[in-house]
Amino acid sequence: MKMQSNFLCALTLFLTASFGMLHAQDTNVTTEFGVKGGFNMSNLYGSGDDVDDNNVLYGFNAGVYATLPISDFIAIQPEVLFTTKGAKLQYDSALASGDAKFKLNYIEVPLLVRVNITKNFNVHAGGYASYLVSSKVTGSGDVSFDQEIDRDDLNKFDAGIAAGVGVDFSPISIGVRYNYGLTTVGKERTVAGTTYTFPDAKNSNLTVYLSYKLN
């Protein structure tokens, strides 16, 4: 997505500029445990593809997190989330028009390094691993359908990299994060001597989240 690409570029520039500020920071990372949830904008991308923003599928994420300091301004932040991913395809032809939504539901475990630039502003980056718990495809328009997809036909595990920024208004925090999948959603299979992967695409997900500190 163009929006996600712009976010990654801006985040990279900000991270580069911010490391020179760390020596001036006071002790500002504390141990935290809390709950969080957010709004997802997900899509699928293939090798060399220019993903169309019109294919964005809207969803959500919810779960728990912990912030575990390892220095005055750096912490490890593990999370456990339920998150929705996938993509939407719009079609319009002489025979039919409408849209189809490919929905993937995961239990996701991000493991992030969080750097507090100031007491109330942080950047974070790391990786994530996900386990597929359900999947389905639904359609609306001239043709309506709602079909569960056998998880054995898809990769049950997904993994990728994540990066974002957050602002703290204790006990509430808000932030933006982008997840870039590195694992193909579909499985490789061979039919009549031909090997192919379907769907031959990876997850891409931009989320806006709200978290609440419980301790």
Side-chain angles (χ1 to χ4, degrees), residues 3 59 66 73 84 117 134 201 206 208:
M3 175 176 58
F73 50 83
T84 64
I117 305 304
S134 65
L206 181 67
V208 178

Side-chain angles (χ1 to χ4, degrees), residues 143-214:
V143 180
S144 297
F145 51 90
D146 190 336
Q147 180 66 48
E148 295 286 336
I149 301 174
D150 189 341
R151 291 190 305 126
D152 289 336
D153 292 334
L154 302 172
N155 270 329
K156 293 180 182 177
F157 292 94
D158 182 36
I161 55 178
V165 296
V167 181
D168 301 319
F169 306 99
S170 187
I172 294 174
S173 299
I174 60 174
V176 179
R177 182 182 301 164
Y178 178 60
N179 285 5
Y180 184 80
L182 300 176
T183 304
T184 303
V185 171
K187 278 185 176 179
E188 186 178 273
R189 62 196 71 194
T190 301
V191 177
T194 301
T195 300
Y196 69 98
T197 302
F198 182 81
D200 189 10
K202 301 172 184 178
N203 283 306
S204 171
N205 186 52
L206 181 67
T207 182
V208 178
Y209 65 85
L210 176 73
S211 62
Y212 184 83
K213 182 173 68 172
L214 296 176

Side-chain angles (χ1 to χ4, degrees), residues 96-117:
S97 63
D99 65 62
K101 297 177 181 178
F102 179 52
K103 301 179 179 180
L104 302 167
N105 298 323
Y106 291 94
I107 297 296
E108 186 166 285
V109 182
L111 183 60
L112 308 166
V113 176
R114 167 174 161 168
V115 179
N116 272 36
I117 305 304

Side-chain angles (χ1 to χ4, degrees), residues 21 27 30 38-39 75 85 92 99-100 121 128 137 149 161 168 175 182 185:
M21 302 167 57
T27 301
T30 59
F39 173 71
K85 296 183 181 181
D92 188 4
D99 65 62
F121 184 79
Y128 73 86
V137 59
I149 301 174
I161 55 178
D168 301 319
L182 300 176
V185 171

